[in-house]
Amino acid sequence: MNISSETIRQRFKDQGLKNTPQRTAIYKALVETTSHPTAEDLYQHVSQDYPMISQNTVYYTLGVLQQAGLLREVNVGHDRARYDGNLTPHHHLICHGCKSIVDVMDKKLNKISCPSGLPSGFHITDYQIEFRGYCQACRPQTA
Amino acid sequence: MNISSETIRQRFKDQGLKNTPQRTAIYKALVETTSHPTAEDLYQHVSQDYPMISQNTVYYTLGVLQQAGLLREVNVGHDRARYDGNLTPHHHLICHGCKSIVDVMDKKLNKISCPSGLPSGFHITDYQIEFRGYCQACRPQTA
DNA sequence: GTCATTGCAAAGGATTTGCAGTTCC
DNA sequence: GGAACTGCAAATCCTTTGCAATGAC
């Protein structure tokens, strides 16, 4: 999905973030992919346009954007962090083999009722379902 | 939940794993807690009985047990890995504040139907719901 | 002008790897 | 006896931190 510089500028402004070319490029790259890239992936991608960019900037920017609520982290194992710029509520499908992450946009999954037997005083803010399995390419031979 | 040495011995044997005191101690510690400890936590715990144990043994053992299907990893952010020796299907509740992980055993959550719109050829093996929020102690003042 | 942001380099922390000695089956 | 396991040390990988220079507002 494409996103205009104007939209990005506005979102940054709304969150009180300064608008720099590097930050814009990182955010744009993240929003326009569904691959749930790592910091390294984003660094590689943005480096094409900004060869002087440092990894630090990528990490710092991702931290700032996360704090501003403009992205989410997605976890696959305890590996390197992966990022998602899609803020529409959705879930994920993760391939055990290649660790790819696919969005699951099925809306009926957003209506799960609060589980029973919670510790008293615990307040749930949100939830996420992680489906796991094998994509076509990684499917075991026996399947 | 307590587990006997005999049960552990049997499980290891079933999986073709050698039965060593260190391995038994690590597995026992993991099964008997619901705290979803880190490798470091387990190392600290087992060190009380086996002062000479190395961190490497803990990591190696956790890897072996995971491959044998005797434990699961649970992820909180991309932080250090956390482990769960409870193989009964269940879900988790994670506190944004203290990062504690609480088991959610509600059986009705195990019957979610396969989502629509999956990529063709993708085969789901299992899924897990991660509820997030704040425990009583970490609850924001405004709540 | 001021403070957030950037880039570079170095540090940090968790986990993995190499390897020799030991232990289980 | 042989392969798996253990412990120690060193290495690796991802991420964070320190700091001076730059740039956005």
Side-chain angles (χ1 to χ4, degrees), chain A residues 45-108:
Chain A
H45 186 273
V46 174
S47 288
Q48 292 170 21
D49 285 329
Y50 298 88
M52 299 305 294
I53 199 171
S54 72
Q55 303 211 52
N56 186 349
T57 298
V58 177
Y59 281 107
Y60 176 82
T61 300
L62 290 170
V64 167
L65 294 178
Q66 180 167 22
Q67 282 218 322
L70 290 175
L71 61 78
R72 298 195 304 180
E73 263 186 49
V74 188
N75 313 299
V76 183
H78 57 286
D79 279 349
R80 46 217 326 208
R82 295 179 65 169
Y83 299 90
D84 191 344
N86 177 1
L87 292 180
T88 306
H90 65 284
H91 304 278
H92 291 117
L93 187 54
I94 299 168
C95 175
H96 287 298
C98 60
K99 310 300 181 191
S100 61
I101 304 177
V102 178
D103 289 327
V104 176
M105 305 299 290
D106 191 336
K107 281 181 186 158
K108 70 174 183 289

Side-chain angles (χ1 to χ4, degrees), chain B residues 20 22-23 52-53 56-57 60:
Chain B
T20 73
Q22 294 96 330
R23 180 170 291 175
M52 297 306 293
I53 199 171
N56 184 353
T57 298
Y60 177 80

Side-chain angles (χ1 to χ4, degrees), chain B residues 32-59:
Chain B
E32 294 188 344
T33 183
T34 59
S35 69
H36 308 81
T38 63
E40 175 68 16
D41 294 335
L42 290 166
Y43 172 69
Q44 294 297 339
H45 186 274
V46 174
S47 288
Q48 292 169 20
D49 285 328
Y50 298 88
M52 297 306 293
I53 199 171
S54 72
Q55 303 211 52
N56 184 353
T57 298
V58 177
Y59 281 109

Side-chain angles (χ1 to χ4, degrees), chain B residues 44-143:
Chain B
Q44 294 297 339
H45 186 274
V46 174
S47 288
Q48 292 169 20
D49 285 328
Y50 298 88
M52 297 306 293
I53 199 171
S54 72
Q55 303 211 52
N56 184 353
T57 298
V58 177
Y59 281 109
Y60 177 80
T61 300
L62 289 170
V64 167
L65 294 178
Q66 182 168 21
Q67 282 218 321
L70 290 175
L71 62 78
R72 298 195 305 181
E73 264 186 49
V74 188
N75 315 300
V76 183
H78 59 286
D79 279 350
R80 48 220 321 215
R82 295 180 64 169
Y83 299 91
D84 190 344
N86 177 0
L87 292 181
T88 306
H90 65 283
H91 305 279
H92 292 118
L93 187 54
I94 297 169
C95 174
H96 286 299
C98 60
K99 310 300 181 192
S100 60
I101 304 176
V102 178
D103 289 327
V104 175
M105 306 299 293
D106 191 336
K107 283 182 184 158
K108 70 173 184 288
L109 298 173
N110 299 331
K111 297 174 189 163
I112 290 179
S113 58
C114 219
S116 59
L118 298 188
S120 72
F122 206 109
H123 182 240
I124 291 181
T125 55
D126 63 294
Y127 66 86
Q128 231 206 300
I129 311 176
E130 211 173 72
F131 295 93
R132 293 181 170 267
Y134 291 94
C135 72
Q136 192 152 37
C138 296
R139 209 160 169 174
Q141 308 295 348
T142 55

